[in-house]
Amino acid sequence: MSDITYPYLPSGRTILYVPESDAFIQEARAYAKEHSLDDTVQTGSVIVKDGEIIGRGANGTDYHKTHECERVKRGIPTGQHYELCEGCHPNNHSEPRAIADALKNGHKTLGTDLYLWGHWWCCEPCWNAIIKAGIENVYLLKDSEKLFNKAHPNNTVSKQFADVE
């Protein structure tokens, strides 16, 4: 997997991959399906400590339903200037929401793992939150760089739950 070029990856960090059968990636998937408010790219994250899920988060807000996306209007590429649009703001990403959920429920996130369904990389603000929280590993679905990459011709964006509808 080292041949993947991510839009952002902090120095010294790696992304690990799990098969679709992995129980934690399935939990992240189920949470995204049930709770994501993004119509196109539904993401879900779970934080795991000692084999138990301690935090869950999904992306999105209803902002884009009533307002135009400022980033789209300006033609800003994915992963850049999320702060310009309330609907795209990093506070609405699944990773920080899962961290906030774990902390709200009294769990410490130091040394935990994060499983992310629905995306093929983590943006800089999310990596910053992951690192600050002391999360050790980030796991994505195997082949996510194809499945969830809008630029890949065989992506499943907007169709990622078609097999369970």
Side-chain angles (χ1 to χ4, degrees):
M1 295 287 177
S2 61
D3 59 337
I4 299 169
T5 302
Y6 303 101
Y8 180 78
L9 184 66
S11 177
R13 296 303 293 241
T14 59
I15 293 177
L16 303 171
Y17 293 88
V18 294
E20 191 166 1
S21 61
D22 180 88
F24 297 124
I25 205 73
Q26 282 300 310
E27 284 292 325
R29 180 182 194 257
Y31 202 79
K33 184 178 187 312
E34 184 71 26
H35 297 280
S36 175
L37 297 176
D38 190 300
D39 291 335
T40 306
V41 182
Q42 299 97 341
T43 66
S45 293
V46 296
I47 297 177
V48 177
K49 184 171 192 163
D50 299 327
E52 298 291 326
I53 296 173
I54 64 166
R56 291 175 169 83
N59 69 323
T61 173
D62 61 0
Y63 183 88
H64 289 136
K65 291 184 185 348
T66 55
H67 299 85
E68 202 172 341
C69 177
E70 189 62 33
R71 292 175 60 249
V72 170
K73 285 192 321 191
R74 294 184 188 193
I76 297 172
T78 187
Q80 297 178 19
H81 299 292
Y82 289 124
E83 73 282 357
L84 295 176
C85 177
E86 178 59 33
C88 299
H89 196 280
N91 292 341
N92 295 319
H93 294 190
S94 70
E95 302 96 309
R97 285 184 171 176
I99 294 166
D101 184 56
L103 296 173
K104 177 184 81 172
N105 292 310
H107 298 286
K108 295 184 178 177
T109 55
L110 182 65
T112 58
D113 296 324
L114 184 139
Y115 291 75
L116 171 61
W117 166 272
H119 216 347
W120 66 281
W121 63 291
C122 299
C123 67
E124 184 173 1
C126 288
W127 267 114
N128 291 343
I130 288 165
I131 292 166
K132 182 178 179 185
I135 293 172
E136 200 166 299
N137 297 301
V138 172
Y139 291 90
L140 300 179
L141 178 66
K142 184 180 181 294
D143 296 326
S144 61
E145 76 282 2
K146 299 171 193 156
L147 297 171
F148 305 131
N149 183 348
K150 292 178 190 176
H152 194 280
N154 297 324
N155 77 64
T156 61
V157 174
S158 298
K159 303 172 282 205
Q160 62 178 323
F161 300 115
D163 63 327
V164 293
E165 296 294 329

